[in-house]
Amino acid sequence: MSKTPARKRKPSSSQSKKRGANSIKAPKKKSARKKAPARRSRKKSTSGKRSASFLKRHGRLLFLVTVLILLAWFIYLDVIIRSQFEGKRWALPATVYARPLELYAGKKLSVEQLLREIRLSGYRPVLKAQSEGTFSLHGNTFEVITRAFQYWDSFEVSHQLRIQVEHGQVVAVRERDSGASLDILRLEPAVIGRIYPAHHEDRLLIRLQDAPEVLVAGLIALEDRAFYQHHGLDPRALGRALWADLRAGRLVQGGSTLTQQLVKNFFLSNQRSLWRKLNEAGMSLLLEWHYDKDEILEAYLNEIYLGQDGKRAIHGFGLASRFYFDKPLVALKLEQIATLIALVRGPSYYDAWRHPKRLLKRRNLVLSLMAQQQIISAAQENAARKKPLHVVRRPHSIAGAYPAFMDLVRRQLRQDYRQQDLNAEGLRIFTTLDPAIQQQVEKAAKQWLLKLDRQRGLEGKLQTAIVLTDTGNGEVLALLGDRNPKYAGFNRALDASRPVGSLIKPAVYLTALENNQQHYTLASLIEDTPLTLRGPSGSNWSPRNYDGKSHGRVPLVTALMRSYNQATVRLGMSLGFEAIAQTLKRLGVKQKIPAYPSMLLGAVNLTPYEVTGMYQTFAANGFNTPLRAVREVLAADGSALKRFPVTVQQNVDSESIEMMNRALNAVTHVGTARSLRTLLPEGLEVAGKTGTTNDMRDSWFAGYSGSQLAVVWLGRDDNQPLGLSGASGALKLWAGFMRNIDSQSLPLSELPSLEYKWIDFRNGRLSAEDCESVLYLPFRPGDAPTKEAECLQGGMMDDDF
């Protein structure tokens, strides 16, 4: 029997399960590893489909939001551009001038004084004056070419002058070429200050049609050749700048058009950032959309920063021309125009005085590029390259030199003008400051205070304030608010309210002379004897004289001359506080006067400026004249805005003022201010009053001639005693400057309505001119004394006098 091949048996289910479990275990794991990526791929595909779906559903919304944001950004930039660029584009500072110097034959003026005035007005010394703003001096003869100038009342053309000065006096003022004499001529006033906008920017606006063609062409050639082709941005320049920035890894190159430069200077800051560049680009496009090229170029010519003068920033080619060359822009030569163009790239780096070689090299490069662009010829380039910079010496500016006076100017202007008008409208303000007198005041104060510091070991703690006015019109000619004239802080002349001491006494004696019931005269006898007054709180007050003595019955004029406290209090008590307070009010004191006895001896706080207003009435023959520092205000275009005329009101009758002037003149001869006889020029008659407060904490002197009044205060800010009376302190400072200014004597002419008698000032009796201890005094008709004094021929004056 044959065998058939054995057939593989089908495994049992149990075996199958067992084998299968063993045989397919590894393949299952491998299969699992292969399938895992397939599952992740399906998830990614699902996420991508969802993202695509989201973009499909919301893409339009995102695009719309982006467009709206960009639109809002452009609208925002557009509002900024149109609000700031249309209408008035620049805040122009107000320019403040001193008084103009009037020149005429016979004016008292030395060579040194005229030289200083000319220099203060910004005139440049040269060997031979040939252009406006220059002068030459040969011996005692000046040759000056004045600048054309718009005054408040007329336009003064340029003059070529020859001014001759001899023996402290102007001998002749003539036209240099024709020799014709001029009756009177005003020298352009010096600029003493400016009231700036917040950033101290200054500019002299010009129109595009007034700018030299070579300046415009050269500027475009150097800064933006495609200016008239682009629409605010130059893609080629931007590409070059971007490539340079990428290579450096930071912002290193601009590539800006003139429009972008204007936007950066006018609207934006100098900060280097991407956001600022984006704003600059957007604003440049909008600026070109709204305005034509010429308008943009004109704005650029007036906006570009070109230098620094202390705190003042020089903007625009109009002012830069004056600043660097002391000439109007239209008068510049080719090499000077190229110098201004060179400064555009960096006024500090190419500083004309600190880095002249850099600037000269840059200027010559500008000339070369202008020649390459055929703006100028090769011959013009070669000729201009041979010229020096011709930059004038850094201009001597006195702007900011008189902070105390400028403080007064601002305060008076604020009564009529808003602050934004003062520092933004380009006002031209003509003031009353006399630089020559101010110099004498500052010089005398410096010398006297340094001397007192050395003598008394005060170490600079002594302070001063001085106000000097014109007696005829109340104009403030000089003002000092600190021992350091340049100090711009606390202004003691206007704000230091201090006890005035005996300066108040003339008001007491004036009240007596005006009293029609008691008929006081300068010869009336009053008691200078001790007295004690009881206050409301029960305290006692016993005034004493400065010399510690009592003098019995003395004439009224003597009590004032010698500043007797006891006599003054007795007189004041008899007159009444209310009457004296009214007199002070009529004299110009505005504050309320306290009604207590110590007021009679100056326990009243006034500032030096307020004291000056009071004494101004005495000096102006009884006319109350408000003090003023501003004469006229002109708009930027030269049109008149406001005049500040002299306003006067007669508050004291002329007879009473004449009596007081004679009495206060006697103070300077035989009274507490008698040392003035040796301190002032011979023949100069003045009137005045010393003032000293308790413990010698304040030293005062108020005095006036026929033309000037000055009030001087000396003291310490900590109110410590000085050890100086009015006569030993303030009076000597007053004399220090009054003897060096052109001053007229106090007029001592006789009033026809009064009668004049020689009086013995020891007893108030009639005397004779050749007797000792006599004064020539005025009386109302019938009021003169009748008793005669014994005339002591050749006798000696009483020691008290």
Side-chain angles (χ1 to χ4, degrees):
M1 185 165 102
S2 61
K3 294 182 179 179
T4 58
R7 194 173 52 176
K8 293 180 179 179
R9 295 172 60 190
K10 185 176 180 180
S12 64
S13 60
S14 61
Q15 288 177 329
S16 175
K17 288 180 180 178
K18 187 176 180 180
R19 191 183 302 119
N22 292 330
S23 63
I24 64 172
K25 185 176 182 180
K28 276 188 176 180
K29 289 182 179 179
K30 186 175 182 180
S31 175
R33 285 196 299 270
K34 287 182 180 179
K35 290 180 180 179
R39 287 195 297 269
R40 285 197 299 269
S41 177
R42 284 194 299 270
K43 287 182 179 180
K44 183 176 180 180
S45 177
T46 302
S47 175
K49 288 179 181 179
R50 289 177 179 175
S51 297
S53 176
F54 178 85
L55 288 174
K56 186 174 181 180
R57 291 196 308 270
H58 300 288
R60 293 180 180 179
L61 179 60
L62 290 173
F63 176 76
L64 181 60
V65 170
T66 303
V67 170
L68 289 175
I69 291 174
L70 288 173
L71 182 61
W73 176 58
F74 265 87
I75 292 174
Y76 168 72
L77 296 180
D78 191 66
V79 169
I80 293 176
I81 287 175
R82 300 188 69 174
S83 63
Q84 296 186 31
F85 203 73
E86 292 183 0
K88 183 180 181 297
R89 293 175 184 167
W90 289 280
L92 301 178
T95 303
V96 185
Y97 297 93
R99 61 93 183 96
L101 177 65
E102 294 183 340
L103 295 171
Y104 52 87
K107 182 178 180 64
K108 291 184 179 180
L109 200 67
S110 67
V111 171
E112 293 76 16
Q113 288 171 331
L114 180 54
L115 178 62
R116 185 175 185 274
E117 287 273 352
I118 290 174
R119 283 178 167 165
L120 285 178
S121 294
Y123 285 75
R124 292 179 292 108
V126 293
L127 292 177
K128 182 175 177 59
Q130 294 180 331
S131 60
E132 288 188 19
T134 62
F135 77 96
S136 60
L137 174 60
H138 304 284
N140 60 349
T141 301
F142 291 83
E143 290 190 355
V144 185
I145 302 182
T146 66
R147 302 185 185 97
F149 191 80
Q150 177 66 58
Y151 290 93
W152 58 90
D153 54 356
S154 65
F155 179 80
E156 191 79 41
V157 299
S158 174
H159 290 273
Q160 298 186 24
L161 302 176
R162 182 173 284 111
I163 307 167
Q164 189 175 353
V165 180
E166 292 181 3
H167 307 298
Q169 182 173 293
V170 177
V171 176
V173 181
R174 305 179 185 276
E175 292 281 3
R176 186 174 67 176
D177 296 334
S178 66
S181 295
L182 298 174
D183 293 333
I184 189 170
L185 183 88
R186 289 182 294 193
L187 185 66
E188 174 189 357
V191 175
I192 62 169
R194 290 184 173 86
I195 303 175
Y196 287 102
H199 299 294
H200 280 75
E201 293 183 1
D202 197 5
R203 52 178 52 80
L204 183 62
L205 297 180
I206 61 170
R207 296 178 301 176
L208 181 60
Q209 56 264 40
D210 296 331
E213 292 183 7
V214 69
L215 168 65
V216 176
L219 191 62
I220 292 174
L222 267 293
E223 296 297 322
D224 189 0
R225 296 181 189 177
F227 176 69
Y228 283 104
Q229 284 75 49
H230 63 65
H231 297 286
L233 304 177
D234 186 350
R236 294 183 179 179
L238 286 174
R240 290 193 301 268
L242 179 60
W243 176 244
D245 292 344
L246 290 173
R247 292 180 61 185
R250 56 189 176 91
L251 294 172
V252 295
Q253 187 170 323
S256 300
T257 63
L258 285 179
T259 309
Q260 287 176 275
Q261 292 181 43
L262 175 61
V263 165
K264 181 182 69 174
N265 283 275
F266 196 90
F267 300 103
L268 305 173
S269 68
N270 290 322
Q271 180 184 3
R272 287 178 173 268
S273 67
L274 180 60
W275 177 246
R276 200 268 291 166
K277 292 295 291 183
L278 289 173
N279 283 330
E280 178 186 301
M283 291 176 124
S284 298
L285 293 171
L286 289 168
L287 195 67
E288 295 255 1
W289 182 35
H290 285 299
Y291 306 100
D292 61 42
K293 290 287 187 179
D294 286 351
E295 196 169 2
I296 292 171
L297 186 56
E298 182 178 89
Y300 180 89
L301 293 174
N302 287 300
E303 175 62 27
I304 189 67
Y305 170 70
L306 291 171
Q308 196 73 28
D309 179 24
K311 290 184 178 180
R312 180 173 67 139
I314 307 299
H315 283 259
F317 287 92
L319 183 60
S321 176
R322 293 283 190 181
F323 181 66
Y324 289 105
F325 304 110
D326 196 27
K327 294 180 180 180
L329 189 60
V330 294
L332 295 189
K333 298 178 180 178
L334 173 60
E335 65 272 12
Q336 294 170 325
I337 291 174
T339 300
L340 295 185
I341 296 174
L343 287 166
V344 171
R345 282 295 174 95
S348 298
Y349 184 78
Y350 296 109
D351 187 282
W353 295 279
R354 293 167 55 197
H355 307 297
K357 291 183 179 179
R358 288 182 190 171
L359 180 58
L360 183 64
K361 183 178 180 180
R362 176 67 185 172
R363 184 207 69 177
N364 290 341
L365 175 61
V366 169
L367 289 169
S368 296
L369 292 173
M370 289 171 71
Q372 292 175 18
Q373 295 293 315
Q374 298 182 343
I375 297 169
I376 60 175
S377 66
Q380 287 177 307
E381 177 200 352
N382 292 332
R385 288 173 69 95
K386 296 176 183 178
K387 299 291 180 65
L389 287 175
H390 282 310
V391 173
V392 299
R393 288 187 302 175
R394 186 177 289 275
H396 173 70
S397 173
I398 61 173
Y402 309 116
F405 184 83
M406 283 294 296
D407 185 16
L408 175 60
V409 169
R410 288 188 180 93
R411 295 188 195 196
Q412 293 193 351
L413 287 172
R414 286 185 191 127
Q415 298 174 14
D416 299 281
Y417 295 93
R418 300 174 303 168
Q419 184 60 41
Q420 55 264 42
D421 295 330
L422 293 178
N423 58 18
E425 296 297 329
L427 302 180
R428 301 175 64 212
I429 300 162
F430 293 88
T431 73
T432 61
L433 181 77
D434 188 316
I437 293 179
Q438 178 75 24
Q439 182 202 25
Q440 293 299 333
V441 168
E442 293 178 4
K443 180 180 177 182
K446 179 181 179 181
Q447 292 175 345
W448 182 234
L449 267 64
L450 286 175
K451 184 176 181 178
L452 291 176
D453 280 345
R454 290 193 299 268
Q455 289 178 349
R456 300 175 178 272
L458 294 172
E459 300 179 352
K461 295 179 181 179
L462 184 60
Q463 272 294 349
T464 188
I466 302 172
V467 183
L468 191 149
T469 65
D470 186 309
T471 57
N473 52 30
E475 291 184 345
V476 180
L477 305 179
L479 190 139
L480 195 63
D482 189 277
R483 65 181 294 162
N484 176 8
K486 306 298 187 293
Y487 178 66
F490 182 59
N491 190 342
R492 292 164 187 81
L494 305 182
D495 298 321
S497 189
R498 306 284 293 216
V500 298
S502 296
L503 290 190
I504 206 168
K505 289 178 180 176
V508 178
Y509 289 86
L510 174 61
T511 305
L513 293 173
E514 289 183 311
N515 190 298
N516 295 324
Q517 296 178 348
Q518 301 185 42
H519 290 283
Y520 283 104
T521 73
L522 291 174
S524 297
L525 297 179
I526 56 177
E527 295 286 341
D528 183 60
T529 54
L531 74 161
T532 298
L533 300 175
R534 185 175 297 274
S537 61
S539 61
N540 292 330
W541 180 58
S542 300
R544 297 286 184 267
N545 288 329
Y546 179 75
D547 61 3
K549 301 177 182 178
S550 297
H551 305 89
R553 288 169 60 83
V554 296
L556 187 145
V557 67
T558 304
L560 176 59
M561 288 190 319
R562 299 295 293 165
S563 200
Y564 292 154
N565 291 334
Q566 295 173 160
T568 302
V569 172
R570 287 187 176 277
L571 178 62
M573 295 293 289
S574 69
L575 297 169
F577 297 125
E578 183 61 31
I580 296 170
Q582 285 299 317
T583 298
L584 287 167
K585 184 176 181 180
R586 287 187 291 117
L587 289 173
V589 177
K590 293 183 172 56
Q591 65 172 274
K592 187 176 180 180
I593 304 300
Y596 45 77
S598 59
M599 171 270 285
L600 302 170
L601 300 184
V604 175
N605 287 2
L606 297 176
T607 67
Y609 190 77
E610 290 172 321
V611 172
T612 306
M614 169 184 165
Y615 274 81
Q616 181 72 28
T617 307
F618 287 115
N621 295 316
F623 288 90
N624 182 250
T625 307
L627 306 185
R628 63 173 187 154
V630 181
R631 286 180 172 177
E632 293 85 11
V633 177
L634 303 185
D637 60 2
S639 59
L641 290 180
K642 185 176 180 63
R643 295 201 66 182
F644 294 80
V646 178
T647 57
V648 297
Q649 180 178 348
Q650 187 164 13
N651 288 346
V652 183
D653 65 89
S654 57
E655 288 81 7
S656 298
I657 284 293
E658 167 66 2
M659 296 178 197
M660 287 302 303
N661 281 342
R662 292 279 180 163
L664 292 174
N665 175 245
V667 171
T668 69
H669 280 272
V670 290
T672 56
R674 57 188 177 275
S675 60
L676 284 176
R677 287 182 295 172
T678 60
L679 298 175
L680 295 179
E682 186 177 356
L684 179 62
E685 292 291 343
V686 298
K689 185 71 187 73
T690 56
T692 310
T693 61
N694 288 343
D695 300 323
M696 293 189 178
R697 300 177 190 274
D698 301 272
S699 172
W700 291 89
F701 186 72
Y704 52 94
S705 66
S707 51
Q708 290 97 17
L709 158 69
V711 172
V712 176
W713 168 82
L714 291 177
R716 288 178 55 161
D717 290 338
D718 59 9
N719 203 33
Q720 293 299 307
L722 295 175
L724 293 169
S725 66
S728 62
L731 177 145
K732 293 187 177 181
L733 173 51
W734 186 91
F737 57 78
M738 284 296 291
R739 63 171 169 254
N740 292 319
I741 66 177
D742 183 14
S743 193
Q744 302 172 9
S745 281
L746 182 72
L748 296 174
S749 56
E750 300 180 19
L751 289 182
S753 58
L754 297 175
E755 56 183 19
Y756 292 75
K757 302 290 182 180
W758 288 98
I759 301 296
D760 187 324
F761 58 75
R762 292 171 300 183
N763 52 38
R765 296 185 177 187
L766 292 175
S767 189
E769 181 179 359
D770 56 354
C771 291
E772 294 289 344
S773 306
V774 295
L775 294 171
Y776 194 58
L777 299 177
F779 298 88
R780 289 187 173 91
D783 283 351
T786 57
K787 292 183 178 181
E788 293 184 356
E790 181 181 355
C791 186
L792 303 176
Q793 294 286 356
M796 296 301 292
M797 189 182 300
D798 190 308
D799 286 344
D800 277 350
F801 304 98

